[in-house]
Amino acid sequence: MTEPSVETLPLHHVAIIMDGNGRWASSRGRPRVFGHRKGVESLREAVKVAGELGVKQLTVFSFSTENWRRPAEEVEALFELLRRFVAADLDRLVEEGVRVKVIGRSEDLSPDLIKIIENAEERTLHNTEFKLVLAFNYGGRDEIVRAARRACRDRDGDLSDLTEADFARYLDTTDMPDPDLVIRTSGEHRVSNFLLWQAAYAEFVFTDVLWPDFGEADMKAALEEYARRKRRYGGING
Ligand code: FPP
């Protein structure tokens, strides 16, 4: 029997916790923001490589609801990186058939950022080649609470016959498949409030590589590790 490989994978959706930017920059005597900037380059490369390997959706953790605790200067720098990423890459993403979607608490963002996000989503709405989901001001618990409020409002407070599938439609990820694989870089082994509902059956791959160093070979290695795992969904068959 042939070994499962990246080429034979039924792998639709990969999610990434892009960790280690700060340490990457500090180890070079540079400010943390330098690492985030380099992290955007890794993100561009990850989209390209994932697409080439047949992945259809990439969801990346770009700013968490907990990241507000960082110094204001770093928070503003991360917002600015999102603005610049859209300004620099949107035309190309439109052309390449990439659909862009942002998930998270948009209500806390500035009106200009909300506009930028809405414009990026609108301009790529009909693209079907690949989906790039930016989790920005995102927290899994916050998403679940917002979904519960919406469900409650919609159903006049009566959730007695609400199913898992019904509830999932109220999440920010409505209509998206759950991630098959979650990758976390930088040697940390935590889920950190990322896709708590959606990653219930995901495989996790952890790598010591810091996000700014994460490249094609690392993506291939993560997908190959996934290919070697057997997914059982709580049953006993591989
Ligand atoms: C974690 O590294 C990374 C983040 C909090 C931000 C990730 C953001 C990017 C890669 C760029 C943003 C991209 C867009 C499009 C907005 P860390 O700073 O916690 O690293 P550390 O653990 O080494 O301190």
Side-chain angles (χ1 to χ4, degrees), residues 18-23 32 36 40 62 67 70 82 85 211:
M18 309 182 288
D19 199 6
N21 296 345
R23 275 164 285 165
R32 296 174 53 81
H36 295 316
V40 176
S62 311
N67 286 154
R70 295 185 178 206
L82 178 58
F85 174 72
W211 178 248

Side-chain angles (χ1 to χ4, degrees), residues 177-189:
D178 286 342
D180 305 290
L181 167 66
V182 179
I183 300 170
R184 182 167 190 154
T185 58
S186 90
E188 304 294 342
H189 297 177

Side-chain angles (χ1 to χ4, degrees), residues 205-217:
V205 168
F206 299 102
T207 167
D208 289 340
V209 176
L210 303 176
W211 178 248
D213 288 328
F214 190 91
E216 180 170 356

